[in-house]
Amino acid sequence: MSVIKPIVAANFADHIVQVLSPLLGPHTAKRALAMICKKAGKETHQLGPTDLPIAHATLRPMLRTLIGNDVTVRVLADLDAGGTPS
Amino acid sequence: MSEPSFVLTRGPVGLRPALALLMLVAAVGGRIVLDLQVSTAAGELWQRAVEVFTAAVTGAVVLHFARDDPPRLPWSLFFVSMIIVPIVRLLSYLRVEPGGVPLAYLVIIGGNFVLVAAMLAFGRVLGSSELLSERTRDDRVRATAVVGLLALGALATIAYNTFEVAGRGLPTTLAGWISATANVVSTVCDAIAFAGSLYLVWLVRPLIGGLLARPYLLIAAAAGVFLAVDILLVAAGATTQTDLVVTGLRTQLPKWLGCLAYTGLALAASSQLALLRGLRRR
């Protein structure tokens, strides 16, 4: 049985790493973040919820290859959970 | 983002290490205790249950993937190689030998090829993810060096087992030839599967610390144990674990290690299954 618990993410980049780390490990989660930044043409601290579509487009094919489409959709939905524009 | 955002996330998913350890102790310990305290037949029966469980869990993993999901193919091949094991045991038990040729040996040769295909397919799928594929020249050189060393180790093992089989003299019957072929093919395939599984470890090493790496680490560990079992089987003059007549520790050890290897594969599949089910529930 899983327990819902809130995580405080300092910024959107931290949120991405927090969501991906349990699955991909901290090293690859940071690598995924770097790839999103590269695609968005931004630095880590500049990333925000408006970059969610880019994050999805970057991560979807890579995650789908590793864990299949269904689970990828769930993981990306977790990214959305922290993507409320401030 | 100026304010901290509250993110809804769930508790840990995946197979808990304590449960995995418990499964390992129960499966291997059960075999050893039954062998020593009851009878080898009871131990064999226990291991057949472990093998069937391994195939069942692997099949459950396959069912969690959609038809067009990339991981479905390697897990399907892995499942086929696992379902072949109980078939081999059954054929061996029933002594199905058309024309004097043990059908179990022929099926085990096919099963070994499927296992190799599964390892290659895992490597291909994992390597195709941009998250894991190597990009720098240095990384590629290091990867090639590691795989080259593994290939040398595999060749040495194959050479040892081939000379061991050849040293007994040429087989005089068709069944003898098939048994010798099964020995060599099994070693070659297990060596390739082991090298392939270590390549998987190389591929997933950036994932270490994440749940996704666990199944592949367990597969690699199990493949290493299988290779050791092969060497022990050839040394004992047997083709499959069920061929071994228990006379002491030397003949019992391959059976216990075999149980350990199948348990490792069951844990790999269970780990993947728990991960997929856990994430699906989120």
Side-chain angles (χ1 to χ4, degrees), chain A residues 34-73:
Chain A
M35 293 167 95
I36 294 167
C37 288
K38 190 178 173 188
K39 207 159 192 173
K42 291 181 177 178
E43 293 296 320
T44 309
H45 66 274
Q46 294 173 317
L47 273 190
T50 52
D51 296 309
L52 259 178
I54 294 174
H56 280 211
T58 308
L59 294 174
R60 182 174 284 115
M62 296 187 288
L63 289 176
R64 186 177 165 273
T65 301
L66 295 173
I67 50 175
N69 193 55
D70 197 14
V71 174
T72 296
V73 169

Side-chain angles (χ1 to χ4, degrees), chain B residues 15-166:
Chain B
L15 188 65
R16 291 173 193 279
L19 181 61
L21 190 63
L22 190 66
M23 285 170 69
L24 185 76
V25 170
V28 182
R31 164 93 216 211
I32 294 172
V33 168
L34 286 171
D35 273 347
L36 298 178
Q37 300 295 324
V38 183
S39 66
T40 305
E44 292 284 2
L45 194 62
W46 179 263
Q47 187 168 330
R48 298 298 84 80
V50 171
E51 290 162 359
V52 169
F53 176 73
T54 306
V57 183
T58 314
V61 170
V62 174
L63 292 177
H64 267 72
F65 289 117
R67 282 184 187 280
D68 58 344
D69 280 342
R72 186 180 168 103
L73 176 65
W75 278 102
S76 297
L77 288 168
F78 190 39
F79 168 59
V80 172
S81 71
M82 289 299 103
I83 201 75
I84 280 176
V85 176
I87 294 171
V88 166
R89 305 298 189 212
L90 189 64
L91 290 171
S92 213
Y93 176 74
L94 297 173
R95 296 186 185 280
V96 182
E97 298 176 356
V101 177
L103 197 55
Y105 293 170
L106 291 174
V107 177
I108 210 166
I109 289 172
N112 275 301
F113 281 118
V114 178
L115 182 64
V116 167
M119 291 301 145
L120 295 177
F122 274 125
R124 193 161 171 239
V125 167
L126 291 172
S128 69
S129 176
E130 218 176 325
L131 276 174
L132 302 182
S133 51
E134 301 297 347
R135 295 289 164 206
T136 67
R137 189 175 173 275
D138 282 352
D139 280 336
R140 275 197 294 272
V141 168
R142 275 199 295 270
T144 308
V146 170
V147 171
L149 279 174
L150 291 174
L152 280 176
L155 274 175
T157 309
I158 293 162
Y160 165 77
N161 272 10
T162 305
F163 283 121
E164 186 74 24
V165 172

Side-chain angles (χ1 to χ4, degrees), chain A residues 3-9 15 22-25 28 31 49 62 64-71 74 78 82 86, chain B residues 1-2 4-11 65 68-69 71 125-126 128-131 206-207 210-212 279-280 282:
Chain A
V3 179
I4 298 176
K5 55 183 178 185
I7 287 179
V8 179
H15 167 65
L23 186 66
L24 302 177
T28 305
R31 182 180 163 133
M62 296 187 288
R64 186 177 165 273
T65 301
L66 295 173
I67 50 175
N69 193 55
D70 197 14
V71 174
R74 305 292 170 123
D78 274 5
S86 55
Chain B
M1 195 180 285
S2 55
S5 64
F6 282 90
V7 181
L8 283 180
T9 187
R10 306 271 173 162
F65 289 117
D68 58 344
D69 280 342
V125 167
L126 291 172
S128 69
S129 176
E130 218 176 325
L131 276 174
L207 292 176
L211 292 168
L212 254 178
L279 287 171
R280 271 190 167 192
R282 295 175 83 160

Side-chain angles (χ1 to χ4, degrees), chain B residues 177-250:
Chain B
W177 274 107
I178 290 174
S179 172
T181 306
N183 265 327
V184 174
V185 167
S186 184
T187 308
V188 170
C189 288
D190 279 355
I192 296 171
F194 178 55
S197 67
L198 287 184
Y199 177 62
L200 290 186
V201 172
W202 177 273
L203 275 175
V204 301
R205 79 196 188 288
L207 292 176
I208 288 173
L211 292 168
L212 254 178
R214 285 186 191 171
Y216 304 105
L217 298 177
L218 286 163
I219 286 173
V225 178
F226 270 127
L227 193 56
V229 170
D230 266 353
I231 295 167
L232 291 171
L233 281 179
V234 169
T239 305
T240 63
Q241 290 173 47
T242 45
D243 290 345
L244 283 173
V245 178
V246 173
T247 52
L249 185 64
R250 190 169 173 237

